[in-house]
Amino acid sequence: MKTITAGFPWSSADNCEIFIERGLLAHFTQIAEFRKKFSGVKKFAIITDENVCRLYAERVANSLNEAGFDVVIPYFTPGEQSKNIDTFFMLQNQLAENEITRSDAIIALGGGVVVDLAGFVAATYLRGIPFVQMPTTLLAMVDSSVGGKTAIDIPAGKNLVGAFHQPAMVVCDPDTLGTLPAENFADGMAEVIKHAMIECRRPEARTTSALLHMLNSEIPISENSGILADVIEANVKIKRDIVQRDEFDTGERQLLNFGHTIGHAVEKLSSFKISHGSAVAIGMSIITKSAVQKGQCAPECAEILENLLQKYNLPTHTDFSPQEIFEASLSDKKRTGGFIIEVIPRSPGVCELVKMPVGDLLDWI
């Protein structure tokens, strides 16, 4: 079993351990750290969506029951459209009706929507109770479940209401990826590619990204790949290292937004019919091509990115106009007054944060 320790001293005196192993959902309660952290808990609320509930909730509940815990399972309709204030209040009410107290805990079982929503519920119910992330998609394993960002969407934009709330533990079982549709796995690969493009974070660093080497292997990474656990581990460590240095997203952590300003706009314009991973892929492609055209990025950087996006069945363009994308970007949470922080690639594995007037973003798009 792979174990990664993340320390977030501003949030909690306790470290967060991330465990990665096939079949882990069936025996996670046997992990010594789990028994230590939750020895005083009587009841767990497993928050999930209907699809994941059918697939994995019983397995997780059985593990908890066998370890002596009571279990309730609040669930909701799958999809980004459920990541809203109505679902948030519904889950809060269900926790109260099931008498979840401050000595109890939440398990977020599912993909990115579940992780974001259940995390925000945990951050705010009774002013905050402990929770465990159990991501069941590649995107959630490599991105959403690490770093403590929780949120819901509002009509003005995505993830505009939320809180920082670090999980007590993250449990990744790669076997859950075998039930993903191909497009969902590709969504996760978009975030993997993003991490590879920012891995050498300092502009003066010229070493080739180790993760890029994995992605460039002759056989594409899939849910059955022998190196999948290694890929997840590499991504978690990249994000862990950045978040530990900038937990509250005021500096370096914003590098993790590569492709996201344009990506979130594309998601919004499509009424979320275009998935998060596909939208981020489009965003990365647009901003990288523009950087090359402006002479601010090595041409091979765009070539590597385009090849990887195509290799992992991700889009590189959109039919929405630059003006439409720009206007949809104006509500982006990375905007401060008349400026926005954009992530600009320089070379493979190296990106920089650039503060630009909001109006300049249209030219880049």
Side-chain angles (χ1 to χ4, degrees), residues 78-265:
E80 186 75 30
Q81 69 277 5
S82 289
K83 207 174 87 175
N84 57 42
I85 196 69
D86 293 331
T87 309
F88 171 77
F89 280 141
M90 178 197 74
L91 293 169
Q92 295 275 8
N93 280 324
Q94 288 192 28
L95 294 182
E97 289 168 359
N98 283 284
E99 300 181 341
I100 299 296
T101 70
R102 282 182 175 172
S103 62
D104 298 321
I106 287 173
I107 287 177
L109 176 67
V113 170
V114 173
V115 165
D116 282 353
L117 181 53
F120 189 39
V121 170
T124 51
Y125 181 72
L126 299 178
R127 296 188 175 91
I129 64 174
F131 80 119
V132 178
Q133 298 279 29
M134 290 191 179
T136 60
T137 66
L138 182 61
L139 189 151
M141 289 181 187
V142 302
D143 185 58
S144 311
S145 65
V146 181
K149 282 187 177 181
T150 73
I152 57 172
D153 305 335
I154 59 175
K158 182 171 177 175
N159 295 335
L160 293 184
V161 176
F164 290 96
H165 190 52
Q166 296 293 349
M169 182 178 293
V170 180
V171 175
C172 296
D173 182 348
D175 279 351
T176 63
L177 305 183
T179 58
L180 287 182
E183 58 269 23
N184 286 27
F185 189 84
D187 267 1
M189 290 306 301
E191 293 290 348
V192 172
I193 292 167
K194 177 200 76 176
H195 286 147
M197 296 300 291
I198 69 170
E199 184 175 0
C200 304
R201 291 170 295 283
R202 293 172 292 108
E204 64 271 20
R206 298 301 175 204
T207 56
T208 305
S209 165
L211 186 54
L212 279 176
H213 280 305
M214 292 187 191
L215 292 172
N216 280 317
S217 61
E218 186 175 342
I219 301 175
I221 297 164
S222 71
E223 63 274 19
N224 298 313
S225 294
I227 64 169
L228 183 57
D230 295 327
V231 171
I232 295 170
E233 180 184 32
N235 279 268
V236 168
K237 285 182 175 178
I238 290 170
K239 185 163 187 182
R240 185 264 324 259
D241 290 348
I242 292 175
V243 175
Q244 284 185 154
R245 291 190 292 268
D246 178 24
E247 183 177 357
F248 297 115
D249 207 19
T250 59
E252 182 185 3
R253 184 170 180 170
Q254 293 176 70
L255 286 171
L256 295 165
N257 293 323
F258 178 41
H260 281 58
T261 297
I262 294 173
H264 283 167

Side-chain angles (χ1 to χ4, degrees), residues 331-347:
S331 63
D332 194 283
K333 61 183 181 296
K334 295 176 286 299
R335 179 182 174 186
T336 303
F339 293 87
I340 192 165
I341 302 295
E342 191 54 59
V343 185
I344 306 300
R346 300 305 190 195
S347 62

